[in-house]
Amino acid sequence: MWRLQYAKDLNGFISAEPLFEDISMYDFKGLSRVIVGALTGPGAKLRQPKRAWIERIREQCGDLHIPFFEKNNLREIMGRKLIQEKVGSRQ
């Protein structure tokens, strides 16, 4: 995914909102933060991210000590308290 490499080079974080596909297969090493969210507005219910995608992204962030932030619009999908880590919260 060329956009992931571009984002890493440009600003050091990924904001995958809305998340339309599993991006966990990409290497997040070197990122300062990863943000994920769902589509909102008309038709949003038809294109929601899969919980498994979000969990895999979160696991990779945890392994690499990268702060991970779930937008509030994921509350229904995740069915648990959202993870909303701030930059500098993982060392």
Side-chain angles (χ1 to χ4, degrees):
M1 173 194 258
W2 70 269
R3 285 176 263 172
L4 181 61
Q5 184 58 48
Y6 179 73
K8 288 167 89 170
D9 294 343
L10 183 64
N11 56 25
F13 76 95
I14 294 295
S15 181
E17 49 178 321
L19 181 64
F20 286 137
E21 62 184 316
D22 186 2
I23 62 169
S24 66
M25 72 286 291
Y26 299 104
D27 182 10
F28 295 168
K29 195 178 304 171
L31 293 175
S32 62
R33 184 178 200 184
V34 175
I35 303 166
V36 295
L39 182 66
T40 59
K45 293 287 183 191
L46 302 174
R47 291 207 65 189
Q48 293 298 300
K50 302 218 181 309
R51 182 180 174 146
W53 300 347
I54 298 164
E55 293 293 346
R56 285 192 291 266
I57 295 167
R58 181 191 54 78
E59 288 171 17
Q60 185 179 167
C61 288
D63 291 345
L64 295 171
H65 306 286
I66 296 170
F68 178 73
F69 191 94
E70 295 169 329
K71 298 290 290 235
N72 289 335
N73 57 26
L74 293 174
R75 191 173 312 280
E76 186 176 321
I77 294 167
M78 299 312 293
R80 59 160 169 71
K81 183 178 178 188
L82 298 175
I83 298 168
Q84 297 183 325
E85 299 172 326
K86 295 184 179 0
V87 172
S89 64
R90 287 192 183 222
Q91 307 291 334

